[in-house]
Amino acid sequence: AQKITQTQPGMFVQEKEAVTLDCTYDTSDPSYGLFWYKQPSSGEMIFLIYQGSYDQQNATEGRYSLNFQKARKSANLVISASQLGDSAMYFCAMREGPDSSNTGKLIFGQGTTLQVKP
Amino acid sequence: KAGVTQTPRYLIKTRGQQVTLSCSPISGHRSVSWYQQTPGQGLQFLFEYFSETQRNKGNFPGRFSGRQFSNSRSEMNVSTLELGDSALYLCASSHTGWYSSGELFFGEGSRLTVL
């Protein structure tokens, strides 16, 4: 069964420092995609970064990078040079491939609340 | 390019009433999925539509239903509202049912309060 686990309910980081948010996943489908979203208090889900299961290199998008360790089934988000505006809830999510009975279904972790201190 | 548009943004209903929420996907996107977010249960998948067909459904009672129109716009309906239906309802759109680029974007959500 597909599952996403985020073990850090809350994290603090000093402004300008880097922070890693943990995410592990479980799936039996060889084809899947992993996402990270940011949700500020307004409620909007903001797409940050995506990693496909067949991608050879770790995904990067500006200050965001995804540390993808396929054998360990982990997809940690790294935010470099944290900013005050990074304070929000962060969700890891997974979607299985087109041949899966779960295709079209995005499964989310419980989220990590990140607070950036000035 | 316009983003995913959800209406209404906020609404208040009473128990027993019904509600219809609307989602207009990004132009050219054919897949629309719906999610319910509550403090207790987190984000849960409701259903996904692709080219007007429901392809997958989450574990919700039959009071929750949806549909997709030929222009890819989608609506979800909740009948006989219960207090526990109070939640943020999020809609997401993507170009195809599967993608390799991670193109899956959310609207700002419809916040439903049931009194």
Side-chain angles (χ1 to χ4, degrees), chain A residues 35 37 39 95 101 103 106, chain B residues 35 37 56 97 99-100 102 104:
Chain A
F35 300 78
Y37 289 92
Q39 188 178 45
R95 182 164 161 166
S101 61
T103 194
L106 197 62
Chain B
Y35 300 83
Q37 185 176 23
N56 220 322
Y99 38 80
S100 58
L104 179 64

Side-chain angles (χ1 to χ4, degrees), chain B residues 75-92:
Chain B
E75 288 182 348
M76 67 163 282
N77 184 77
V78 188
S79 63
T80 320
L81 284 166
E82 300 177 359
L83 295 179
D85 297 332
S86 294
L88 179 66
Y89 290 87
L90 291 160
C91 163

Side-chain angles (χ1 to χ4, degrees), chain A residues 36-40 44-49, chain B residues 106:
Chain A
W36 277 94
Y37 289 92
K38 171 185 176 182
Q39 188 178 45
E44 180 184 5
M45 293 288 278
I46 301 168
F47 169 78
L48 295 178
I49 198 166
Chain B
F106 283 82

Side-chain angles (χ1 to χ4, degrees), chain A residues 9-67:
Chain A
M11 292 272 291
F12 287 93
V13 65
Q14 206 68 35
E15 192 179 9
K16 299 181 184 177
E17 291 186 350
V19 62
T20 298
L21 306 184
D22 294 341
C23 172
T24 58
Y25 61 91
D26 190 23
T27 178
S28 56
D29 190 0
S31 180
Y32 53 89
L34 296 158
F35 300 78
W36 277 94
Y37 289 92
K38 171 185 176 182
Q39 188 178 45
S41 56
S42 61
E44 180 184 5
M45 293 288 278
I46 301 168
F47 169 78
L48 295 178
I49 198 166
Y50 168 83
Q51 180 86 40
S53 59
Y54 295 118
D55 293 342
Q56 296 296 314
Q57 293 187 325
N58 287 345
T60 59
E61 291 281 353
R63 294 187 298 114
Y64 304 107
S65 61
L66 198 152
N67 184 1

Side-chain angles (χ1 to χ4, degrees), chain B residues 12-18 80-83 112-115:
Chain B
I12 299 173
K13 294 284 187 179
T14 56
R15 280 181 296 175
Q17 287 188 311
Q18 74 165 11
T80 320
L81 284 166
E82 300 177 359
L83 295 179
L112 170 67
T113 301
V114 181
L115 302 176

Side-chain angles (χ1 to χ4, degrees), chain B residues 55-88:
Chain B
R55 189 164 55 169
N56 220 322
K57 190 176 189 302
N59 191 23
F60 279 81
R63 301 185 297 107
F64 291 81
S65 64
R67 58 179 175 170
Q68 187 180 32
F69 302 96
S70 59
N71 61 358
S72 293
R73 189 178 70 85
S74 178
E75 288 182 348
M76 67 163 282
N77 184 77
V78 188
S79 63
T80 320
L81 284 166
E82 300 177 359
L83 295 179
D85 297 332
S86 294
L88 179 66

